[in-house]
Amino acid sequence: MKQRHICCLLMIICLLTILSCASGPDRVLLRQQGEASRNLAEAYMADGNFTSALRELLKAKPIIPDDPFLHYDLGIVYMAKKRHELAIESFKKAIALNPDYIPARNNLGTVYLAQEHWDAAIEVFKELSGNLLYGTPHLPLFNLGWAYYNKKEYRLAEKYYLEALKIEPKFVIAMKSLAKTYIKMGKIPEAIDRLEAAVTMAPKFPELYFDLGEAYELAGDRNKAVSAYRKVVSINPESDIGGRAADRLKK
């Protein structure tokens, strides 16, 4: 084991020596090799083979350590493998190398959401929502709403969901989330209005009908609740949500 450790150290030293001593054309060739490994990793990622992707990225990392795309790809792979701390480290490195790398900032916030680090996520998404270069500003606004919802700050959650819907009125997930926020706030008619609008846009989305059934129950409208739960079962009877709707119907 000790000999193997020494051999690994010697290989790293040799590689660093080669990189430092290489001539201009040799440096170009080495960088091309690193980029080729990164490109191969991205092909593996597209196929969902994150283990092989990680192997290629780690091979490329000592060759092109200043490549923000490499560190971004590492962050994506670590996210897929649920190694959130490593993902955060990689996205932060990508941002340090390229402060304008918006996808890296967005995914950094997404990892914070996965960790339920709501305040850290809010800090990232607030910065993104104010970035005029961000092509889909409704997404960080939605994520802000989600973070505040989980912090039980429902008025702020409502604010950001409404801002997201102002930009993208057909953002069905935001409509669903806003309706659940209204339920928490005791605004049942408002929740029903949002969900009724949402099911017309996404008529095959069983979770919308389930939430609508719950809202109708809270409003005391038994017949409409039954109709909504039946719709869930008709769309996807074998799913978990279909089973939950069937249980509600039995009651």
Side-chain angles (χ1 to χ4, degrees):
M1 180 65 73
K2 187 174 181 180
Q3 284 184 333
R4 185 181 300 174
H5 182 66
I6 292 171
C7 288
C8 289
L9 287 173
L10 288 172
M11 288 176 64
I12 292 170
I13 292 169
C14 288
L15 178 60
L16 292 173
T17 302
I18 291 169
L19 287 170
S20 62
C21 298
S23 63
D26 290 335
R27 286 178 180 274
V28 171
L29 180 59
L30 280 170
R31 187 163 193 87
Q32 289 174 344
Q33 290 173 348
E35 291 172 351
S37 290
R38 187 199 66 208
N39 293 337
L40 178 57
E42 290 172 354
Y44 282 131
M45 290 163 66
D47 287 338
N49 187 347
F50 294 103
T51 299
S52 295
L54 180 58
R55 185 179 301 113
E56 292 299 324
L57 291 170
L58 292 177
K59 187 191 302 182
K61 188 176 179 180
I63 303 174
I64 48 172
D66 60 344
D67 183 358
F69 303 111
L70 170 80
H71 294 284
Y72 175 80
D73 288 344
L74 277 168
I76 296 294
V77 170
Y78 287 134
M79 278 179 69
K81 288 181 166 290
K82 310 297 184 187
R83 300 295 300 274
H84 293 144
E85 291 302 328
L86 289 173
I88 288 170
E89 180 183 331
S90 297
F91 289 133
K92 283 184 173 180
K93 182 65 175 178
I95 294 165
L97 291 166
N98 181 1
D100 296 324
Y101 200 171
I102 290 175
R105 290 186 182 277
N106 184 71
N107 278 295
L108 175 62
T110 302
V111 178
Y112 285 138
L113 289 179
Q115 289 187 309
E116 300 185 1
H117 292 174
W118 309 121
D119 290 329
I122 286 167
E123 183 179 350
V124 172
F125 289 122
K126 275 190 174 179
E127 184 177 353
L128 274 177
S129 65
N131 191 322
L132 297 177
L133 298 176
Y134 197 20
T136 53
H138 58 289
L139 296 179
L141 291 169
F142 170 81
N143 286 326
L144 281 167
W146 176 245
Y148 280 117
Y149 177 87
N150 283 281
K151 282 169 64 71
K152 297 182 172 55
E153 297 183 31
Y154 300 122
R155 291 192 181 279
L156 283 171
E158 176 193 18
K159 172 182 181 290
Y160 285 108
Y161 286 142
L162 286 171
E163 287 186 16
L165 286 165
K166 186 176 180 180
I167 296 169
E168 184 52 67
K170 295 183 179 181
F171 192 4
V172 171
I173 297 298
M175 296 173 75
K176 179 181 186 298
S177 299
L178 178 59
K180 291 180 77 69
T181 303
Y182 281 143
I183 288 173
K184 292 290 188 181
M185 297 171 75
K187 297 182 176 182
I188 308 305
E190 289 89 340
I192 290 172
D193 287 344
R194 292 289 175 173
L195 289 166
E196 286 180 339
V199 296
T200 64
M201 297 179 190
K204 299 296 184 182
F205 191 177
E207 286 81 0
L208 287 176
Y209 289 100
F210 188 89
D211 290 350
L212 186 55
E214 287 189 318
Y216 284 140
E217 277 195 80
L218 291 169
D221 196 330
R222 178 180 179 277
N223 291 332
K224 285 187 176 181
V226 167
S227 178
Y229 290 135
R230 283 178 176 166
K231 188 69 175 177
V232 177
V233 175
S234 70
I235 293 172
N236 201 343
E238 303 300 325
S239 66
D240 176 67
I241 195 80
R244 288 165 58 199
D247 290 340
R248 289 293 180 94
L249 287 169
K250 290 176 185 177
K251 296 177 182 178

